[in-house]
Amino acid sequence: MSASSPDSRPPSIGRRTLLGAAAVATPAVLGVATPAAAAPSPAASASARKKPRALPGGGDLGPNVIVFDPSTPGIQARLDQVFRQQESAQFGTGRYALLFKPGTYNGLNAQLGFYTSIAGLGLSPDDTTINGDVTVDAGWFNGNATQNFWRSAENLALVPANGTNRWAVAQAAPFRRMHVRGGLNLSPDGYGWASGGYIADSRIDGQVGPYSQQQWYTRDSAIGSWINGVWNMVFSGVEGAPAQSFPNPPYTTLGTTPISREKPFLYLQGNDYRVFLPEKRTNARGVTWGNGTPRGTSLPLSQFYVARPGVSAATLNQALAEGLHLLLTPGIYHLDRPIQVNRAGTVVLGLGYATLIPDGGVTAVQVADVDGVRLAGFLVDAGPVNSATLLEIGPRGASRDHSANPTTVQDVFVRIGGAGAGKATTSMVINSRHTIVDHTWVWRADHGEGVGWETNRADYGVVVNGDDVLATGLFVEHFNKYDVQWNGQRGRTIFFQNEKAYDAPNQGAIQNGSIKGYAAYKVGDGVTTHEGWGLGSYCYYNVNPSIVQHHGFAAPVRSGVRFHNLLVVSLGGQGQYECVINDTGSPTSGTSTVPSTVVSYP
């Protein structure tokens, strides 16, 4: 396949080596009370000694946040050093954030490896211009981009050296608030396999070429043009997007995104760090920063507890209880109890793929049923002792109306196994109403360490119990039972990408009562209103290719439960689907790796 004559047909898959295919917060408490003039009693003194000292806000961002300005010497050498370390460290412990102060940088090529984030520190992407490239390619994996996970680019303007920037990524690799003054190539050098991806709040002046990318979601952006599609290309609120045409070409195009609120981001005001909190938009279209300063509010870094790896969960919870937000600097955090987010408007922002590991079977993060919490930019890695849940948004039974100020979960990724032993019955549970899940990859590992049908057992990926929840960019893969189980009313999903678990040993292991296999996306029997656009499920039963999956999607047959542009694919004939949704849709067959589609259901 050549750039001059792109082929819209899917590449030959074979083993598809994916083995991986705005409330302003309460001011921070910065000191301790002045002692009373009278001498305290011994009992009072003992009590005072036990009371933890108030934690400071702000502070240094730590050694793995590397900050450049245009006068910094040796920028390219430092970028290359980080890349050499991270290029193939898929399950390593290194975590890095590369931050560029506003200004112009010339002649750079920032190649990004695993757990590396690059970002500008202006209020607008155009405040920080790189005359050069931010590159993701797949040389480390023989030209196969299907494992280019866990890296990100945000808030930069790029003027690519040859006119087109290469961003050949797979899951958990967001491209946010970027301005590419040229084209964007989403495939690896040589047009090998690729399976991404996500763009939001970005402007690409030239052409976007997905080439071999099997699926992609672009939200609230502006593009010059889009050249081809393989299986599942979804657009919402994108100026310049191709017209609706699924399944040939496979474009699902919504003129607007119903509700969106962009991810919080770190920036500089003078010499002071602040965190910008973009405002909520309804029926959104195009970028938030097109007229300069985006709309929203901001918080000084002094209102954040700047956490370093090694800090305890008790200290993180103390900071939250004192009214501070959390900024998680790059690294790995072990938790012996959940991080409890109980205050409305709390921000928990990770840098450089900060990673939370719950020990002893605890939940990593629990959010109360309150308004406007923002969780963004971190990875939750299951521990070796089974956790009932890893991330909980709202307690069971949560019912408050958060429509005016929803909780957002953005670039929060979940992994069970791969880096080591891990188990979790349910990865992410959404109980609070009106929650927006904007780009997540919830992954039961199919390669790496600690992998096996029972070794990294994880029955459910995402369970939605809350009403009025919106998912934009939902990637959930390889769970032992339902990948997504949606029980709440009036739920909506724009773009869903799924692979069923590769490693089922036999047909009986996936049997769901009288049904062959658990659907990738199951809408609860009691749901009366639900809608989804651009949803795909793939099977690759490589341990036992004779396994048959009845359908990818299951839902009650009601006029209020509607789906648009569904597909299922058997990758190289390793297992087959009998239907697409319920009992509707043609079966997959043979080894041709051709999708079976349903344009509208019911």
Side-chain angles (χ1 to χ4, degrees), residues 144-511:
N144 179 345
T146 60
Q147 293 185 25
N148 281 349
F149 314 136
W150 305 305
R151 62 202 76 195
S152 67
E154 299 184 51
N155 206 28
L156 291 165
L158 304 178
V159 183
N162 70 353
T164 300
N165 189 77
R166 186 183 301 280
W167 184 256
V169 298
Q171 289 76 19
F175 196 80
R176 288 185 182 268
R177 294 178 53 78
M178 295 289 287
H179 185 187
V180 181
R181 299 177 193 162
L184 188 63
N185 182 343
L186 303 178
S187 72
D189 186 29
Y191 303 95
W193 296 341
S195 181
Y198 175 92
I199 294 171
D201 200 23
S202 293
R203 181 181 298 279
I204 293 90
D205 294 345
Q207 184 178 78
V208 181
Y211 302 111
S212 55
Q213 283 285 356
Q214 294 157 352
Q215 71 279 319
W216 199 276
Y217 176 48
T218 307
R219 178 181 64 70
D220 298 349
S221 294
I223 61 175
S225 62
W226 189 277
I227 196 173
N228 76 301
V230 177
W231 294 334
N232 189 29
M233 304 283 138
V234 180
F235 309 84
S236 68
V238 178
E239 298 169 354
Q244 168 69 37
S245 59
F246 187 89
N248 187 27
Y251 298 148
T252 298
T253 303
L254 288 73
T256 61
T257 303
I259 307 167
S260 64
R261 188 175 70 190
E262 299 302 332
K263 178 185 172 185
F265 62 91
L266 192 68
Y267 74 103
L268 277 172
Q269 186 176 75
N271 293 319
D272 298 324
Y273 286 107
R274 298 182 69 90
V275 173
F276 193 83
L277 307 179
E279 71 175 13
K280 186 187 77 169
R281 297 198 290 170
T282 56
N283 298 318
R285 182 174 174 84
V287 300
T288 63
W289 46 270
N291 295 319
T293 303
R295 297 176 64 89
T297 58
S298 74
L299 298 169
L301 196 64
S302 61
Q303 291 189 20
F304 284 78
Y305 177 71
V306 179
R308 298 281 195 93
V311 69
S312 69
T315 298
L316 297 174
N317 284 330
Q318 180 190 346
L320 291 169
E322 291 175 2
L324 292 167
H325 306 274
L326 296 182
L327 187 72
L328 305 173
T329 64
I332 296 174
Y333 298 74
H334 282 269
L335 307 174
D336 63 356
R337 67 195 72 179
I339 297 173
Q340 298 278 1
V341 182
N342 296 325
R343 188 181 72 257
T346 299
V347 179
V348 180
L349 176 61
L351 301 178
Y353 285 83
T355 301
L356 308 177
I357 301 179
D359 295 326
V362 303
T363 299
V365 181
Q366 293 178 319
V367 179
D369 193 20
V370 295
D371 274 356
V373 171
R374 305 182 195 227
L375 307 181
F378 57 88
L379 170 65
V380 178
D381 209 349
V385 178
N386 185 74
S387 293
T389 58
L390 294 173
L391 176 66
E392 295 177 1
I393 309 301
R396 181 176 298 182
S399 60
R400 295 180 181 176
D401 187 321
H402 303 295
S403 56
N405 190 8
T407 285
T408 45
V409 182
Q410 298 175 287
D411 300 347
V412 173
F413 308 116
V414 178
R415 178 173 68 195
I416 300 95
K423 290 187 176 183
T425 303
T426 304
S427 292
M428 183 184 298
V429 179
I430 309 295
N431 292 317
S432 286
R433 294 180 63 193
H434 303 103
T435 299
I436 300 171
V437 180
D438 175 46
H439 190 227
T440 187
W441 184 39
V442 182
W443 184 57
R444 174 182 167 264
D446 58 278
H447 63 280
E449 294 183 15
V451 170
W453 182 250
E454 296 295 344
T455 306
N456 62 329
R457 181 85 194 187
D459 284 351
Y460 306 102
V462 175
V463 174
V464 180
N465 297 317
D467 295 339
D468 308 291
V469 171
L470 171 66
T472 51
L474 186 60
F475 299 72
V476 189
E477 298 191 293
H478 304 312
F479 286 84
N480 295 77
K481 293 185 178 179
Y482 292 124
D483 298 275
V484 173
Q485 185 169 4
W486 203 301
N487 302 316
Q489 298 288 354
R490 298 176 297 280
R492 292 175 288 185
T493 295
I494 304 172
F495 184 89
F496 172 68
Q497 186 265 326
N498 166 263
E499 285 184 335
K500 294 302 300 175
Y502 290 176
D503 54 348
N506 51 55
Q507 189 74 46
I510 65 163
Q511 193 69 17

Side-chain angles (χ1 to χ4, degrees), residues 98-131:
L98 309 173
L99 305 182
F100 286 75
K101 293 182 179 181
T104 300
Y105 300 78
N106 295 314
L108 297 181
N109 181 16
Q111 300 181 81
L112 300 187
F114 288 97
Y115 314 109
T116 305
S117 298
I118 188 170
L121 288 169
L123 261 182
S124 165
D126 288 327
D127 293 340
T128 311
T129 298
I130 293 178
N131 289 308

